Amino acid sequence: MLPGLVVPPAGLPQVQRGDLCAIALVGNRAPVAIGVAAMSTAEMLTSGLKGRGFSVLHTYQDHLWRSGDKSSPPSIAPLALDPLDLSEEKGSVQADPTLQEDMRRLTLEGEEEESGEVQQMYEEKSLSEASEDPSPGGLNPDPTDSRTLQEQMDELLQRCFLQALKCRVKKADLPLLTSTFLGSHMFSCCPEGRQLDIKKSSYRKLSKFLQQMQQEHIIQVKELSKGVESIVAVDWKHPRITSFVIPEPSPTSQTIQEGSREQPYHPPDIKSLYCVPASMTLLFQESGHKKGSILEGAEVRAIIISYAKKNDLVDADNKNLVKLDPVLCDCILEKNEQHTVMKLPWDSLLTRCLEKLQPAYQVTFPGQEPIVKKGKICPIDITLAQRASNKKVTVVRNLEAYGLDPCLVAAILQQRCQASTTVTPAPGAKDSLQVQIQGNQVHHLSWLLLEEYQLPRKYVQGLEKAPRPGKKK
């Protein structure tokens, strides 16, 4: 289904209706399914990535797979242009012409032996391409290391495993698919210039390695559904995890934000400002300000105090009261108060003045010039909606105002929630996108926005809609 398709930065590959396509998980070029395109690329984009995109002919772990040697797909490094750090579960279509030509040779009437030979030929070709890839993600052992390639790969596998558990996996992420753990956590912990390849280690398969880690009581792995293993528990107090020292990043590489190649997110500095309306121009013109001038709250208070003292409006008998002259009366009093209110306390005068000014705000992102806009900044809005079959979805809007990329947030949430996400234009908002996640995922959003991104609570609304824990029986 098209809502489960990840669109790479370069856009979808060009396919026509009826074309054979390989479907892979992001982060690994090895196909997990082969299908026929149900519509062309243009039709997919026109439909807003909704509906059936591919009719699947053969998938990993189907009956055809079970009739063979039941081997797992190889781990093939993505090409340099592939988005390595996006989410794991959504498929991406590979448009390599040579791969498509190889797949066109596949026939459903072929013998099991013949299909096994084709699969073996394809895997060998893919692995050779990965080893010949000159990009930084290639399989580059350390030339100064005297150990064998297998020993180096074992050490790298252990390092990525421990670093992923210590830095990336949270208790809320469990249970976690082992394929997700490898593709979205361990791969991203691999140091720059090296590529993790389990086939070149002594374990050969991820399942064998995880079984070893389970025997050491670091993790617990269970088969929650037939043929699909998940990590269900982690002992974060295990000596191997607590004693693991996180390697320092190289000077050329910055800390990679989870699910992204962007710099780590820092919340913007948001400051409330005030704009002078036409009705208050007389009050501020003496201080050199005109209609539309943007002022901070402290500047407004200083101008009001200076105006009152300059025009001798402070009550001689009570310094806490200010006499209202015609200008102040016109600016801050209501019509029914014009002839009844003659004096106001300082705090009431300043409060009324701030209320009459038009709101504005300034947003400053780290390392960028401040951005000033009129009006009030819209908080990040979290809502729940009903979809077909009475299913709930969580919708998030206004992420862009806080420097957050909706596509990146969607990718992180897909990984955290283990649920499909889509990014669509926000209704009624120009050039704004909204993120939709299956199910009630407000708890995950709360943790991501408040704890990891450190956004102030007042700029996020809808967190009270999180599901309440059920009553214990």
Coordinates of all heavy atoms in Angstrom, one line a residue, residues 26 34 54 62 65 76 95 101 120 135 139 159 169 177 230 236 245 249 286 299 307 336 346 348 369 379 419 460:
V26 N 14.2 0.3 4.1 CA 15.2 1.4 4.0 C 16.4 1.1 4.9 O 16.2 0.6 6.0 CB 14.5 2.7 4.5 CG1 15.5 3.9 4.5 CG2 13.3 3.1 3.6
I34 N 8.9 -9.0 -4.1 CA 8.9 -8.6 -5.6 C 7.4 -8.5 -5.9 O 6.6 -9.3 -5.6 CB 9.5 -9.7 -6.4 CG1 11.0 -9.8 -6.1 CG2 9.3 -9.5 -7.9 CD1 11.7 -11.0 -6.8
F54 N 1.4 -1.7 -5.2 CA 2.0 -2.9 -5.9 C 1.2 -4.2 -5.5 O 0.7 -4.3 -4.4 CB 3.5 -3.1 -5.4 CG 4.3 -1.8 -5.5 CD1 4.4 -0.9 -4.5 CD2 5.0 -1.6 -6.7 CE1 5.1 0.3 -4.7 CE2 5.8 -0.5 -6.9 CZ 5.8 0.5 -5.9
D62 N 7.4 -16.2 2.8 CA 6.1 -16.7 2.3 C 6.3 -18.2 2.0 O 7.4 -18.8 2.3 CB 5.6 -15.9 1.1 CG 6.6 -16.0 -0.1 OD1 7.6 -16.8 0.0 OD2 6.3 -15.4 -1.2
W65 N 9.4 -19.1 -0.1 CA 10.6 -18.9 0.7 C 10.7 -20.2 1.6 O 11.8 -20.7 1.7 CB 10.5 -17.7 1.5 CG 11.7 -17.5 2.5 CD1 12.9 -17.0 2.2 CD2 11.6 -17.9 3.9 NE1 13.7 -17.0 3.4 CE2 12.9 -17.5 4.4 CE3 10.6 -18.4 4.7 CZ2 13.2 -17.8 5.7 CZ3 10.9 -18.6 6.0 CH2 12.2 -18.3 6.5
I76 N 22.9 -5.5 2.5 CA 23.6 -4.8 1.4 C 23.6 -3.3 1.7 O 22.5 -2.7 1.9 CB 22.9 -5.1 0.1 CG1 22.9 -6.6 -0.1 CG2 23.7 -4.4 -1.0 CD1 22.2 -7.0 -1.4
A95 N 15.1 1.1 -8.3 CA 14.9 1.3 -9.8 C 16.2 1.1 -10.5 O 16.4 1.6 -11.6 CB 14.4 2.8 -10.0
E101 N 16.1 -5.8 -14.7 CA 16.2 -6.8 -15.8 C 16.4 -8.2 -15.2 O 15.8 -9.1 -15.7 CB 17.4 -6.4 -16.6 CG 17.6 -7.3 -17.8 CD 16.4 -7.2 -18.8 OE1 15.8 -6.1 -18.9 OE2 16.2 -8.2 -19.5
Q120 N 20.4 -16.9 -5.6 CA 21.8 -16.9 -5.2 C 22.6 -16.0 -6.1 O 23.5 -15.3 -5.7 CB 22.3 -18.4 -5.3 CG 23.8 -18.5 -4.9 CD 24.2 -19.9 -4.9 OE1 23.5 -20.8 -5.3 NE2 25.4 -20.2 -4.5
S135 N 32.0 4.4 -1.9 CA 31.5 5.4 -1.0 C 31.9 5.2 0.4 O 32.4 4.1 0.7 CB 29.9 5.4 -1.1 OG 29.5 4.2 -0.5
L139 N 32.8 -1.4 2.7 CA 33.3 -2.3 3.7 C 34.8 -2.1 3.8 O 35.6 -2.7 3.1 CB 33.0 -3.8 3.3 CG 31.5 -4.1 3.2 CD1 31.4 -5.5 2.6 CD2 30.9 -4.0 4.5
R159 N 30.6 -3.7 19.2 CA 30.6 -2.2 19.5 C 29.3 -1.6 19.1 O 28.7 -0.8 19.9 CB 31.8 -1.6 18.8 CG 31.7 0.0 18.7 CD 32.9 0.5 18.0 NE 32.7 2.0 17.7 CZ 33.6 2.7 17.1 NH1 34.8 2.2 16.8 NH2 33.4 4.0 16.8
V169 N 18.4 2.9 22.1 CA 17.2 2.1 22.4 C 16.7 2.5 23.8 O 17.5 2.6 24.8 CB 17.4 0.6 22.4 CG1 16.2 -0.2 22.8 CG2 17.9 0.2 21.0
L177 N 11.6 -5.1 16.9 CA 11.9 -6.1 15.9 C 13.5 -6.2 15.8 O 14.1 -5.1 15.8 CB 11.3 -5.8 14.6 CG 9.8 -5.9 14.5 CD1 9.3 -5.3 13.2 CD2 9.3 -7.3 14.6
S230 N 11.8 -10.6 18.1 CA 11.8 -9.2 18.7 C 12.6 -9.3 20.0 O 12.6 -10.3 20.7 CB 10.4 -8.7 19.0 OG 9.6 -8.6 17.8
W236 N 19.9 -3.1 31.2 CA 20.7 -1.9 31.0 C 21.8 -1.8 32.1 O 22.7 -1.0 32.1 CB 19.9 -0.7 30.9 CG 19.4 -0.4 29.5 CD1 20.1 0.1 28.5 CD2 18.1 -0.6 29.0 NE1 19.4 0.2 27.4 CE2 18.1 -0.2 27.7 CE3 16.9 -1.1 29.6 CZ2 17.0 -0.3 26.9 CZ3 15.8 -1.2 28.8 CH2 15.8 -0.8 27.4
V245 N 32.3 2.4 26.8 CA 32.6 3.8 26.6 C 32.3 4.2 25.2 O 32.7 3.6 24.2 CB 34.1 4.0 26.9 CG1 34.5 5.5 26.6 CG2 34.5 3.6 28.3
P249 N 33.3 11.0 18.4 CA 33.1 11.1 17.0 C 34.3 11.8 16.3 O 35.0 12.5 16.9 CB 31.8 12.0 16.8 CG 31.8 12.8 18.1 CD 32.4 11.8 19.2
E286 N 6.2 60.2 21.0 CA 7.2 61.0 21.7 C 8.5 60.3 21.9 O 9.6 60.9 22.0 CB 6.7 61.4 23.1 CG 5.6 62.5 23.0 CD 5.2 63.0 24.4 OE1 6.0 62.7 25.3 OE2 4.2 63.7 24.5
E299 N 10.7 47.4 27.1 CA 10.7 48.7 26.4 C 9.4 49.4 26.6 O 9.3 50.7 26.8 CB 11.0 48.5 24.9 CG 12.4 48.0 24.6 CD 12.7 47.8 23.1 OE1 12.1 46.9 22.6 OE2 13.4 48.6 22.5
Y307 N 6.8 58.5 29.9 CA 5.7 59.4 29.5 C 5.0 60.0 30.7 O 4.7 61.2 30.7 CB 4.7 58.6 28.6 CG 3.6 59.5 28.1 CD1 3.6 60.3 27.0 CD2 2.4 59.5 28.9 CE1 2.6 61.0 26.6 CE2 1.3 60.2 28.5 CZ 1.4 61.0 27.3 OH 0.3 61.8 26.9
N336 N -16.9 53.3 28.0 CA -17.7 53.6 29.2 C -16.9 54.0 30.4 O -17.5 54.4 31.5 CB -18.6 52.4 29.6 CG -17.7 51.1 29.8 OD1 -16.5 51.2 29.6 ND2 -18.3 50.1 30.3
W346 N 0.0 51.9 39.0 CA 1.0 51.6 38.0 C 0.9 50.2 37.3 O 0.9 50.1 36.1 CB 2.4 51.7 38.6 CG 3.0 53.0 38.7 CD1 3.2 53.7 39.9 CD2 3.5 53.9 37.7 NE1 3.7 55.0 39.6 CE2 3.9 55.1 38.2 CE3 3.5 53.7 36.3 CZ2 4.5 56.1 37.5 CZ3 4.1 54.8 35.5 CH2 4.5 55.9 36.1
S348 N -1.8 48.3 37.0 CA -3.0 48.3 36.1 C -2.8 49.0 34.8 O -3.2 48.6 33.8 CB -4.2 48.8 36.9 OG -5.4 48.8 36.1
E369 N 19.9 34.3 12.2 CA 19.4 35.6 12.5 C 17.9 35.5 13.1 O 17.2 34.6 12.7 CB 19.3 36.5 11.3 CG 20.7 36.9 10.7 CD 21.4 37.8 11.7 OE1 20.8 38.7 12.4 OE2 22.6 37.7 11.9
P379 N 1.0 27.0 18.8 CA 1.7 25.9 19.4 C 1.6 24.6 18.5 O 0.8 24.6 17.6 CB 0.9 25.7 20.7 CG -0.5 26.2 20.4 CD -0.2 27.4 19.4
A419 N 4.6 1.9 14.0 CA 3.3 2.2 13.3 C 3.6 3.0 12.1 O 4.5 3.7 12.0 CB 2.3 2.9 14.2
V460 N 3.2 23.3 23.3 CA 2.7 22.0 22.8 C 1.3 21.8 23.4 O 1.1 21.8 24.6 CB 3.6 20.8 23.2 CG1 3.0 19.5 22.6 CG2 5.0 21.0 22.7

